[in-house]
Amino acid sequence: MKSSLFSVSMLALAAASVAAPASAGFVYINSPLVQGLDAPGSTVAQAKYRLSHTNFDISLDRGAGTNPGQFVSANLGNNNAISGRVFQFTLEHTAGKGFSFSLGAPGSPFSTPVAWGSFGKGAGVAEELGGVAPGASFNSLVLEARASRSNSSMQFSDLEFLSKGLTIADGSFESGLVGPSTSGKGDAPGLWTQELFADTDLSKVNWSLTGLLRGERDAGAGGDETVKFTVGARQSAASVPTTGAASLFLVAGVLNLRRARR
């Protein structure tokens, strides 16, 4: 009897495995299943929106910061023009091509795009940054909202990660507002961090991250880095136990198979 039950269970697992849609990998968003994600990892690319009075407001760099020759950027206007304004952003990665980052009014065609990779020529577009082309491996995205300046804030909402072939196994993004005296997830005042981890190399996959941003600050000059939203593509040593999402998806398939038989 035990042998028979074992055989049925194994057949059910095999059937569920075959019936389940193929996945190039699993994604975990703000998930407690991920272990070691907070450990420092190398940043291979970073997209940034900040409120600067006279300098650039959006940028894309190769993880080396906004040093000369290491980034591309665009200027949206002074603080009076962009403070309190809602922008929809899109950070897009195309495997074998590179990164693009753009902001625009919600519901309107995106404006002020910047790109790093083989996107042709134009303002805000660079095939290489510091002599480096995109393509380095990474498996996580770290989102940071910062507003440490007095009477400032950074609001974020409708965050969504999309990718054909990748399955969101656990977790979701949060919406919120951060200011000098507020924080999220136990971060320091003025900082809210969210994290996405994949069990596969995200540099080999097409994906996009979108959302709404609303930064607010005074019209004074200086403090360019005090009110901003960044997305860093990092190579992390984090991991997910083998009892995580992949097993859960398999178990769900077995349960569905049993229900169908009944």
Side-chain angles (χ1 to χ4, degrees):
M1 186 66 175
K2 288 183 179 179
S3 176
S4 177
L5 287 173
F6 179 77
S7 298
V8 171
S9 297
M10 290 304 293
L11 287 172
L13 286 171
S17 178
V18 172
S23 176
F26 291 95
V27 172
Y28 304 79
I29 303 173
N30 294 326
S31 171
L33 297 177
V34 181
Q35 299 177 351
L37 189 58
D38 291 332
S42 58
T43 301
V44 304
Q46 179 175 253
K48 179 193 300 184
Y49 164 55
R50 67 178 194 175
L51 278 72
S52 171
H53 194 58
T54 58
N55 213 323
F56 68 87
D57 301 299
I58 70 169
S59 64
L60 191 59
D61 66 70
R62 68 175 187 90
T66 50
N67 297 311
Q70 307 291 337
F71 72 105
V72 288
S73 64
N75 188 2
L76 302 177
N78 61 29
N79 291 335
N80 287 326
I82 63 178
S83 180
R85 181 178 175 185
V86 177
F87 288 100
Q88 183 173 0
F89 80 88
T90 293
L91 174 61
E92 189 170 13
H93 174 267
T94 305
K97 191 173 183 179
F99 296 88
S100 63
F101 181 48
S102 58
L103 273 78
S108 301
F110 290 126
S111 60
T112 61
V114 292
W116 171 35
S118 52
F119 294 91
K121 297 182 178 180
V125 180
E127 188 169 350
E128 295 183 348
L129 294 174
V132 177
S137 297
F138 62 97
N139 57 8
S140 67
L141 298 177
V142 178
L143 288 62
E144 290 186 355
R146 181 181 296 274
S148 56
R149 188 181 182 91
S150 178
N151 298 318
S152 67
S153 64
M154 177 60 72
Q155 185 174 8
F156 47 92
S157 62
D158 299 339
L159 299 171
E160 185 176 19
F161 178 84
L162 296 173
S163 178
K164 289 183 178 179
L166 291 179
T167 301
I168 297 179
D170 185 61
S172 61
F173 286 116
E174 300 173 348
S175 297
L177 181 145
V178 65
S181 59
T182 60
S183 62
K185 295 177 60 181
D187 292 324
L191 178 66
W192 191 321
T193 303
Q194 303 192 60
E195 300 166 326
L196 176 151
F197 173 77
D199 64 359
T200 190
D201 185 354
L202 290 174
S203 73
K204 306 298 183 184
V205 185
N206 295 341
W207 54 263
S208 66
L209 176 68
T210 61
L212 298 177
L213 301 174
R214 181 182 184 275
E216 192 166 2
R217 59 159 291 177
D218 58 62
D224 288 344
E225 298 294 322
T226 59
V227 186
K228 63 184 179 179
F229 181 88
T230 62
V231 182
R234 300 182 184 178
Q235 180 60 34
S236 170
S239 63
V240 178
T242 55
T243 55
S247 298
L248 292 175
F249 271 82
L250 194 58
V251 170
V254 174
L255 293 175
N256 289 332
L257 193 65
R258 287 176 179 172
R259 292 192 186 102
R261 286 179 176 176
R262 289 175 183 174

